[in-house]
Amino acid sequence: KAYRVDSLLGDELAKDASLWRRWQEDGVTERTSLSVDFSFYSTDESAAKELGESLRRAGMSQVEVRKTRTLLVLKGWTVSAIEEGTWSLEKLQDRSKTCCDLAAKHRARYEGCGAMMPDNAAA
């Protein structure tokens, strides 16, 4: 099943704004280097692998495609990727737009992003 980009994108952009506010509360600025993890889910192995390749071409690193099982018989694939660098709300939202587009193109679900806060973020 392909997921509609337009209906999900507004939700993702709002989540990004909330996430960015929380990061700022933790001391993150536009000069703070962060490794941001992006997560996806697919029910189709070939689509998951193609998504992984598209993420690599988009400049993300540490791209992983892993098989998952739920309820013993249902299986799917998680795709994760990391992008390192400095961030702003605009950059985060731009990357979410790209992720939503890639997820729709590869019949996957974009599940969002997150980052571990560096020890010195509040310094």
Side-chain angles (χ1 to χ4, degrees), residues 5 8 48 79 100 122:
V5 174
L8 295 177
V79 181
C100 285

Side-chain angles (χ1 to χ4, degrees), residues 13-85:
L13 298 180
K15 288 178 193 176
D16 289 346
S18 177
L19 183 61
W20 180 251
R21 279 192 300 277
R22 283 185 275 155
W23 287 357
Q24 286 182 311
E25 290 169 4
D26 286 339
V28 171
T29 69
E30 291 183 5
R31 294 186 311 238
T32 306
S33 183
L34 288 178
S35 295
V36 179
D37 302 302
F38 297 88
S39 300
F40 303 82
Y41 178 80
S42 177
T43 57
D44 180 84
E45 182 178 16
S46 63
K49 289 179 179 179
E50 290 170 7
L51 173 59
E53 287 304 315
S54 290
L55 292 168
R56 285 183 190 92
R57 285 192 300 275
M60 294 194 184
S61 63
Q62 299 178 39
V63 176
E64 293 184 7
V65 178
R66 293 181 305 275
K67 182 170 37 171
T68 62
R69 276 202 189 275
T70 58
L71 303 174
L72 300 174
V73 293
L74 300 176
K75 64 183 172 183
W77 286 262
T78 59
V79 181
S80 61
I82 294 176
E83 184 169 350
E84 297 181 33

